[in-house]
Amino acid sequence: MSEKSDFSGCPATGIGSMPGGDAREAAKTVTGSFADGQGMPYLAELPARGPGADMTGRTVGMLVEMYGHLEPSGWRISDRPGRDTRRARSWLGEDLDALEEFTQGYEGLLKVQAAGPWTLAAGLELRGGEAMLSDPGACRDLAGSLAEGLRAHLADVRRRMPGARVVLQLDEPSLTAVLRGRVRSASGYRTYRAVDRQVVESALRDVLAAAGEGGTTLVHSCDPEVPFALLRRAGADGISFDFSLLTEREEETIGEAVEAGTQLFLGVVPSTDAASDALSDPGGSVMGVRTLWSRLGLNPGTLAESVAITPSCGLAGASPAYARTALAHCARAARSLADNPE
């Protein structure tokens, strides 16, 4: 097995979004849920506050020399920063202030999230209304702007929380659709042409490099058919996905990823309010993970160091009480996996 990336101290974490609109409450929850080495706290996103607090809007606010504004159809490129961009930046600042307050003296892994270049290209419109995905030159410019913006964002996080080891997560729920030519045009009557895999990989590599030398990176997708091999080649140290969507034909790629030292962030906990008994058995939540390890012929002793437990996707659609319970359950399930890997 190759040398693993530095995810030590991360048995569990959340994906990114949280319910409600109170930045301090969200920061308190994500830091409290993973205190004392139980997992990796993260900078929460609160999309319930409105446009600009969502994944796309927050990331648009990070772009350098590229701006966006809201149209009825969604986010669109602008010539200059307007009210929508300023609001996105303001909310990001508010979230950072709250996280800084609850991580005083913290030393450990800390995760920040942003939309990846291809999900952004699929969801951000050019001035004429078509997705940026339709223009290869615009996609290159977008990836460059995003990388530069993320470098500045990460520098700010490291300045505010100097004891933390910052992990960069790119959210790429549209990546498979981009690769397979499934992203619909503005009219909805056609789809954009599939983007060449080498082009996709190159842009991802450039944006992940914003984490800096020795920086730790992670790519998340809660869609089926996650391109594990491509993400590894692009330089992702960890891959986060909905475990329930994994198919048998992807198992070999999973085994290769584990052998290569890629950390797997397995979404096994429901991300919206589930039946009360769904979170009553931490060991039961990770039974499928143990079974997969057995089928792949992997050493059960490597489970705790190769896997982190997460909700299946973001928690924005959950109730605040359920979100707190789900994160705590992730930590308990990870502990169950470490204590009883077989």
Side-chain angles (χ1 to χ4, degrees):
M1 183 179 288
S2 65
E3 184 180 349
K4 288 186 68 62
S5 301
D6 188 13
F7 279 109
S8 55
C10 180
T13 190
I15 300 302
S17 66
M18 293 288 287
D22 187 327
R24 290 187 76 257
E25 186 60 33
K28 182 180 178 182
T29 298
V30 298
T31 54
S33 298
F34 301 121
D36 304 321
Q38 295 187 81
M40 177 166 59
Y42 55 96
L43 178 64
E45 299 162 357
L46 301 173
R49 289 184 298 198
D54 58 299
M55 177 184 71
T56 300
R58 165 168 285 186
T59 309
V60 167
M62 295 180 189
L63 298 176
V64 172
E65 295 183 359
M66 192 176 281
Y67 313 105
H69 69 278
L70 276 168
E71 293 284 340
S73 53
W75 285 91
R76 184 172 294 183
I77 286 297
S78 300
D79 293 323
R80 59 185 63 85
R83 178 184 60 190
D84 298 324
T85 300
R86 287 193 295 271
R87 183 171 53 215
R89 290 174 178 173
S90 173
W91 272 329
L92 175 58
E94 184 181 313
D95 294 336
L96 281 166
D97 289 344
L99 187 62
E100 184 178 4
E101 177 185 346
F102 286 97
T103 53
Q104 292 295 310
Y106 174 72
E107 295 182 355
L109 292 171
L110 179 74
K111 181 165 68 73
V112 298
Q113 308 83 216
W118 296 107
T119 292
L120 210 54
L124 189 56
E125 298 174 354
L126 295 164
R127 290 173 182 83
E130 292 295 338
M132 295 190 81
L133 191 62
S134 65
D135 183 334
C139 289
R140 285 193 297 272
D141 291 344
L142 179 63
S145 174
L146 177 59
E148 192 172 342
L150 284 172
R151 279 191 285 271
H153 175 52
L154 292 169
D156 185 28
V157 174
R158 288 169 179 142
R159 177 185 59 78
R160 287 168 175 263
M161 293 149 248
R165 290 178 285 135
V166 181
V167 174
L168 170 62
Q169 174 181 305
L170 296 183
D171 290 313
E172 282 285 15
S174 300
L175 183 59
T176 300
V178 167
L179 288 165
R180 297 184 179 272
R182 296 174 183 165
V183 178
R184 294 210 163 273
S185 66
S187 67
Y189 293 120
R190 61 184 179 86
T191 56
Y192 297 111
R193 173 185 272 170
V195 181
D196 182 87
R197 297 180 81 85
Q198 289 186 324
V199 173
V200 169
E201 183 183 322
S202 176
L204 278 168
R205 184 181 297 109
D206 290 346
V207 177
L208 287 168
E213 189 174 348
T216 305
T217 59
L218 169 63
V219 177
H220 166 72
S221 174
C222 50
D223 262 17
E225 303 173 274
V226 175
F228 293 98
L230 184 151
L231 294 176
R232 284 174 47 218
R233 290 195 304 270
D237 300 313
I239 301 174
S240 169
F241 58 98
D242 183 341
F243 188 71
S244 70
L245 300 179
L246 193 65
T247 63
E248 207 171 299
R249 66 176 177 272
E250 292 166 304
E251 289 186 1
E252 184 179 344
T253 342
I254 290 286
E256 290 170 357
V258 172
E259 291 292 340
T262 304
Q263 184 89 355
L264 302 181
F265 288 73
L266 306 182
V268 300
V269 176
S271 58
T272 53
D273 293 49
S276 57
D277 61 347
L279 303 185
S280 62
D281 180 11
S285 293
V286 289
M287 185 62 71
V289 181
R290 295 188 183 97
T291 303
L292 172 65
W293 234 245
S294 175
R295 272 205 309 271
L296 293 174
L298 295 169
N299 178 1
T302 65
L303 259 174
E305 65 183 39
S306 301
V307 161
I309 301 302
T310 75
S312 58
C313 204
L315 293 165
S319 67
Y322 179 82
R324 287 191 296 273
T325 304
L327 292 181
H329 186 81
C330 288
R332 288 196 300 272
R335 201 155 53 243
S336 165
L337 205 57
D339 293 343
N340 183 20
E342 297 190 63

